Amino acid sequence: MSRDALIVGGGPAGAAAAIWLARAGWPVTLWEKERHPAHKICGEFLSWEAQTWLARLGLDLEALGAVSIEKLRLVTATRSAVSGLGFVARSVTRRALDAALLEIAMQAGADVQRGISAREVKPDGAVVASTTLVRPANLLLATGKHDLRGIGRPGEGTLNGQLGFKAYFRLTPAERSALSGHVELILFQGGYAGLQMVERDAANLCFLVSPERWKRLGGDFTALLADLSAEVPHLGQRLAGAVPLLDRPLAISGVPYGFLHRPVKGVAEPGWRLGDQAAVIPSFTGDGMSLALHSARLATEALLTGAGQGAYYRRLAKDAGGAVRRAAWLQRRSDDGLWRDRVAAVLALAPGLMRVGVGFTRLGRGAVGRALAV
Ligand SMILES: Cc1cc2nc3c(=O)[nH]c(=O)nc-3n(C[C@H](O)[C@H](O)[C@H](O)COP(=O)(O)OP(=O)(O)OC[C@H]3O[C@@H](n4cnc5c(N)ncnc54)[C@H](O)[C@@H]3O)c2cc1C
């Protein structure tokens, strides 16, 4: 097998694959469309599994100023409940994290080319960018949620109607101290928010809302925050006196939550799908990055050993399929207000059950342990 690879996309999946292939001595080129490190829509919660992979890649979260999170606070309009996570999560901006991973990829010998946006994949595997066309021996697709022309995803995923937003705030000292050490999962009609601290004393508010709500509020972000705060006073309290740190929020639509790639038997695909190109777990799990890194590990292992794409996708489905399905089921159910209120009432009485829910919707230590052992 020819030992060179083109990786399209320099998020966690693409960067991790570049590091592992370059460390194995493969000539690797990586194209990342952003010319400079950029903010991304993400809650920036790093699960135990994600941290394990990042450590294996040589990333020093302390050096990036990552904060620690030990507790989960579930908040609805009328209730809140707190539970230990069962592990110490970390949180750091994606701008810092992704840049650091690409730096490690370069140090490992990968040729990281920023500012190159792939446009299309031809049926023979040739990849077209604005000024170039290449035919890599091995193509790895790590472009995240959005597809390249010519290699769209068969199947839509199950839940893709919501809009996603992310903004950073400087909270008042009292609210910052109340939030510190917690990730807050805030449930409201038609969506939910994650709120947590990141480095440099900034708070990350990342949420999904229904397009109807956004439309009803005239597509005005300030009005949307006021509307959400009126429904969930806890959010209003956190944001009272807060200063926005970005000129405008980041936004995304059409995320194919619940998607898990299943190749059609006998049909050769021109590229290996990694990260969100292979599986999209609902955001409330805070496990998308761990899945992205896990998929990069499984795919590069299959490439290096010659096990092939079929073996890679079977393994990924075995490791991640259950968590993706369970999380998609829970996300669908949370749209039902009555169900949401009942669950919140039970969790307020028995907050320890939240830890069970957290374990139920993540990749799991067993899967990571098995992949690490290879
Ligand atoms: C609202 C929301 C909240 C989330 N919160 C969390 C969380 O708290 N914790 C967590 O672990 N996960 C979270 N996730 C999921 C997580 O962000 C993704 O699962 C993860 O980023 C996937 O990594 P990736 O490398 O596959 O894709 P991405 O991180 O999306 O990276 C793709 C890269 O490819 C580049 N690219 C795209 N198209 C091209 C192109 N044509 N040519 C060249 N480059 C290209 C992009 O610029 C980007 O750098 C969240 C997701 C959403 C939507």
Side-chain angles (χ1 to χ4, degrees):
M1 163 186 259
S2 191
R3 287 163 28 104
D4 67 279
L6 172 68
I7 300 172
V8 184
I19 295 166
W20 278 313
L21 289 179
R23 282 183 186 162
W26 280 37
V28 178
T29 302
L30 182 149
W31 290 350
E32 165 53 48
K33 74 175 162 71
E34 299 291 344
R35 201 168 285 282
H36 304 288
H39 287 301
K40 289 187 178 158
I41 293 244
C42 185
E44 300 176 332
F45 176 91
L46 287 167
S47 63
W48 178 89
E49 291 81 357
Q51 293 174 61
T52 304
W53 284 127
L54 291 172
R56 181 55 73 101
L57 289 162
L59 188 107
D60 183 354
L61 282 169
E62 292 299 327
L64 296 184
V67 303
S68 296
I69 296 175
E70 291 173 29
K71 291 184 178 162
L72 165 66
R73 181 178 284 119
L74 184 77
V75 182
T76 64
T78 53
R79 293 173 202 278
S80 96
V82 180
S83 162
L85 282 167
F87 59 92
V88 179
R90 306 302 297 269
S91 181
V92 69
T93 56
R94 287 293 301 276
R95 186 161 72 171
L97 180 74
D98 290 15
L101 281 174
L102 286 180
E103 183 59 39
I104 297 175
M106 284 189 270
Q107 284 163 9
D111 178 13
V112 173
Q113 301 181 5
R114 280 188 168 277
I116 301 197
S117 183
R119 283 190 181 159
E120 184 181 358
V121 178
K122 303 274 186 196
D124 66 353
V127 189
V128 185
S130 39
T131 54
T132 180
L133 180 147
V134 295
R135 263 193 196 78
N138 298 287
L139 169 64
L140 282 72
L141 292 166
T143 54
K145 283 142 202 91
H146 297 303
D147 293 338
L148 288 182
R149 199 177 336 138
I151 189 153
R153 274 175 274 200
E156 285 271 292
T158 50
L159 316 138
N160 55 8
Q162 288 162 313
L163 305 175
F165 292 94
K166 167 179 158 177
Y168 292 112
F169 293 92
R170 175 92 51 230
L171 304 184
T172 62
E175 294 305 321
R176 194 188 313 152
S177 132
L179 178 61
S180 170
H182 295 74
V183 54
E184 296 191 333
L185 183 59
I186 302 169
L187 308 182
F188 45 78
Q189 278 174 33
Y192 57 84
L195 181 65
Q196 62 182 44
M197 299 302 296
V198 290
E199 76 270 24
R200 295 170 192 245
D201 281 343
N204 171 335
L205 176 69
C206 189
F207 59 91
L208 294 172
V209 290
S210 66
E212 294 75 28
R213 191 169 202 159
W214 177 240
K215 234 178 173 172
R216 178 164 59 75
L217 294 162
D220 179 333
F221 188 68
T222 309
L224 177 60
L225 287 185
D227 194 55
L228 295 175
S229 299
E231 181 183 337
V232 187
H234 177 95
L235 180 62
Q237 182 187 326
R238 288 278 183 266
L239 295 182
V243 179
L245 297 176
L246 298 180
D247 292 342
R248 66 178 72 135
L250 290 102
I252 193 168
S253 64
V255 179
Y257 288 120
F259 171 78
L260 182 69
H261 183 59
R262 292 187 188 281
V264 181
K265 225 176 175 178
V267 176
E269 295 187 353
W272 297 61
R273 293 173 184 278
L274 313 180
D276 281 355
Q277 279 287 306
V280 184
I281 193 160
S283 306
F284 74 85
T285 62
D287 217 28
M289 285 188 274
S290 117
L291 226 161
L293 297 164
H294 194 82
S295 70
R297 175 61 174 205
L298 296 185
T300 51
E301 214 45 68
L303 264 167
L304 294 170
T305 58
Q309 282 189 14
Y312 158 58
Y313 289 121
R314 277 193 297 279
R315 180 73 188 277
L316 186 65
K318 186 163 175 264
D319 287 357
V324 171
R325 267 193 309 277
R326 288 189 290 271
W329 180 84
L330 268 176
Q331 180 153 311
R332 265 196 308 276
R333 289 309 309 261
S334 72
D335 283 348
D336 172 346
L338 191 61
W339 190 83
R340 202 171 55 228
D341 291 345
R342 283 191 181 144
V343 170
V346 171
L347 293 177
L349 290 172
L353 285 176
M354 279 196 272
R355 200 186 286 198
V356 179
V358 169
F360 185 64
T361 53
R362 291 209 337 271
L363 195 54
R365 296 182 182 206
V368 176
R370 283 191 298 278
L372 276 169
V374 177

